[in-house]
Amino acid sequence: MSKGTKIPGYMQGKGRNPRGIIGDREIRYKCSLQNTILDVLRGRPGWQEVPGQNNVQQNVQANTKQQGQQSTGQPPSNTGKAGSGTTTTQGTTFGNKASDGDWDFYWCDREWLHQNYDTMFLYEHQKILHFRNHYELTRKNLMVKNLKRLKKQTEREQGKAEGLSFEFFPTTYELPSEYHIFVEEFKKNPGIIWIMKPAARAQGRGIFLFRRLKDITDWKKGEYQPLSDPNRDAPETYVVQRYIENPYLIGGRKFDVRVYVLVVSYNPLKVWLYRSGFARFSNTRFSLDSIEDTYVHLTNVAIQKNAPDYDPDKGCKWSTQQLRKYLSAKHGVDAVRKAYKGIDNIIIKSLQSVQKIIINDKHCFEMYGYDILFDSDLKPWLIEINASPSLTASGKEDYELKFGLLNDLLNVLDLENRLTGKEKRIGGWDLLWEDGPILADDGNMECVPNGNTTTIPNSFLGCHNDRKRQLRELYMAAQSVKKT
């Protein structure tokens, strides 16, 4: 390479950082969002916001437009020229400031990363949100494609029985490319309900349920029409899934669970699971008689808040702690522990399905929002995975949850170098996997019945979460270790 050639972010730079590695100096950050994460960064001691073109004040217009797009990670087209020095993103022009070494931490949006990642030079200590091709897991069609591939590989190498551990996503086909295969499956199971979802949209937009093939005749037309006309766009990619007709109901209403997962490395795979999250309820009692009613079948807050009788003060959320207590009281601790173990399996299997595909970069991290649905047998199902779960709070409790979640995420990344690196719990984050399952310590067993704890995974979704006390004790212990 010539001296003027820019090095992609995933290629480890050996150049000297003019600002030096983080020591006792302030930590300089950039943020392209104007919500809870910005509050967390501005309130963090010793962290200083970097003024510049690509900070939040100049990104409001771009982010407003991006919020109308998918949160599931559609790979966007590049509108700027790599290496040109400036990139135009959604009507906002960004300079090359993010690659000049003037920041330590950057909470960027996905569009900005796609436009700039391949021309960035990242210094040893810098951290940035998102892996380059995160959409391999967060686009609905690619997620299923990768899961199917790993399932087949597992069955081939370990047998059909082991393949059963992948039975956590509904029968799914991509349209229009797999239309004919879907039709064959449809005819084998007459009368069941299917759900159509755009592969790269979010917040429930474009989703509908159907029982009859003629409800999707436009897809059949799109399949047969040649694309010789350059002015005609190809049909939008959808996934069609067998609808889960027996969801677990509380008070007669359907719900799903938002689970937060932090990946700090894909090679080796290192995964953290956050204890707190929330269950999102539909505003209307569940029924299969009116499959066209989105208020019955879709739990997205963006959908439910438009219901005629929606109460914004009450909302439609439970904390994961409330949910776990309810389920334990009704079904027993062992049944709930088995169900939540199924969630752990979903997380690990889905991440392993893209482990060799994701462009691993030690500078990158990803916080995913998993959407999980329980059926009437308490079996968890994976609905989708979000690359940019909403960080805008819907109320006081939601704000406190997300503020703690993000603060603890920064604690895990530990740019201040205050921890030992051997921690299994940091605030509300529990280390679930590090090139293999992590087992719990005896002192971390709030949700586990008495008995042998040597085989209990370090997973405590919905358990008691005294994160502030835990952090105080953690930092005191780490300080003592470092002194010795």
Side-chain angles (χ1 to χ4, degrees), residues 81 165 189 201 219 236 247 284 310-311 313 325 344 393 477:
K81 295 181 179 179
S165 63
N189 300 277
R201 288 198 243 170
W219 282 110
E236 181 180 6
T284 308
Y310 179 79
D311 184 350
D313 295 325
K325 287 180 180 178
D344 295 344

Side-chain angles (χ1 to χ4, degrees), residues 331-389:
H331 301 281
V333 172
D334 289 340
V336 173
R337 185 155 62 95
K338 179 181 178 182
Y340 278 59
K341 187 177 180 180
I343 296 179
D344 295 344
N345 177 64
I346 289 174
I347 293 169
I348 298 305
K349 290 288 195 301
S350 60
L351 294 172
Q352 287 177 331
S353 74
V354 296
Q355 186 176 3
K356 295 181 180 179
I357 301 174
I358 296 291
I359 300 171
N360 190 61
D361 183 347
K362 69 178 182 180
H363 302 95
C364 300
F365 66 95
E366 198 81 53
M367 186 182 76
Y368 297 106
Y370 277 67
D371 291 340
I372 306 293
L373 175 75
F374 286 114
D375 67 17
S376 56
D377 297 319
L378 271 186
K379 175 183 176 178
W381 294 85
L382 174 60
I383 303 303
E384 66 180 50
I385 304 172
N386 298 274
S388 296

Side-chain angles (χ1 to χ4, degrees), residues 208-221:
F208 64 92
L209 280 64
F210 67 94
R211 281 194 178 99
R212 302 172 301 178
L213 269 180
K214 69 177 183 178
D215 293 332
I216 57 167
T217 50
D218 288 344
W219 282 110
K220 187 175 181 180
K221 293 178 182 177

Side-chain angles (χ1 to χ4, degrees), residues 178-409:
E178 296 179 331
Y179 179 81
H180 295 296
I181 304 174
F182 160 66
V183 169
E184 291 180 12
E185 182 69 21
F186 182 93
K187 292 179 178 179
K188 291 178 184 177
N189 300 277
I192 69 169
I193 300 173
W194 295 83
I195 184 168
M196 286 274 284
K197 303 176 182 179
R201 288 198 243 170
Q203 298 182 336
R205 289 187 295 271
I207 296 178
F208 64 92
L209 280 64
F210 67 94
R211 281 194 178 99
R212 302 172 301 178
L213 269 180
K214 69 177 183 178
D215 293 332
I216 57 167
T217 50
D218 288 344
W219 282 110
K220 187 175 181 180
K221 293 178 182 177
E223 177 77 7
Y224 290 113
Q225 287 177 353
L227 293 177
S228 57
D229 182 0
N231 297 319
R232 189 175 69 83
D233 294 332
E236 181 180 6
T237 301
Y238 270 65
V239 294
V240 58
Q241 293 181 326
R242 185 164 178 169
Y243 185 63
I244 299 172
E245 299 183 22
N246 63 326
Y248 191 98
L249 305 178
I250 296 181
R253 296 186 298 166
K254 179 182 175 181
F255 67 92
D256 68 359
V257 186
R258 168 57 57 84
V259 178
Y260 294 102
V261 175
L262 172 63
V263 177
V264 295
S265 170
Y266 270 97
N267 185 24
L269 184 61
K270 188 170 184 179
V271 185
W272 296 78
L273 173 63
Y274 202 65
R275 295 191 174 201
S276 297
F278 50 85
R280 303 176 299 186
F281 287 82
S282 63
N283 198 59
T284 308
R285 292 178 67 87
F286 182 78
S287 171
L288 293 177
D289 296 333
S290 54
I291 63 173
E292 72 283 352
D293 190 342
T294 56
Y295 301 132
V296 172
H297 300 283
L298 303 184
T299 59
N300 310 68
V301 174
I303 297 291
Q304 293 297 326
K305 68 181 181 181
N306 295 316
D309 55 346
Y310 179 79
D311 184 350
D313 295 325
K314 181 180 178 182
C316 294
K317 289 184 179 181
W318 271 13
S319 70
T320 49
Q321 283 80 7
Q322 286 177 285
L323 178 64
R324 185 154 190 160
K325 287 180 180 178
Y326 175 89
L327 295 176
S328 297
K330 190 165 184 179
H331 301 281
V333 172
D334 289 340
V336 173
R337 185 155 62 95
K338 179 181 178 182
Y340 278 59
K341 187 177 180 180
I343 296 179
D344 295 344
N345 177 64
I346 289 174
I347 293 169
I348 298 305
K349 290 288 195 301
S350 60
L351 294 172
Q352 287 177 331
S353 74
V354 296
Q355 186 176 3
K356 295 181 180 179
I357 301 174
I358 296 291
I359 300 171
N360 190 61
D361 183 347
K362 69 178 182 180
H363 302 95
C364 300
F365 66 95
E366 198 81 53
M367 186 182 76
Y368 297 106
Y370 277 67
D371 291 340
I372 306 293
L373 175 75
F374 286 114
D375 67 17
S376 56
D377 297 319
L378 271 186
K379 175 183 176 178
W381 294 85
L382 174 60
I383 303 303
E384 66 180 50
I385 304 172
N386 298 274
S388 296
S390 173
L391 300 179
T392 301
S394 59
K396 182 176 181 293
E397 291 185 3
D398 197 39
Y399 182 84
E400 291 176 351
L401 162 65
K402 290 173 180 175
F403 193 95
L405 165 81
L406 295 166
N407 228 332
D408 289 346
L409 182 150

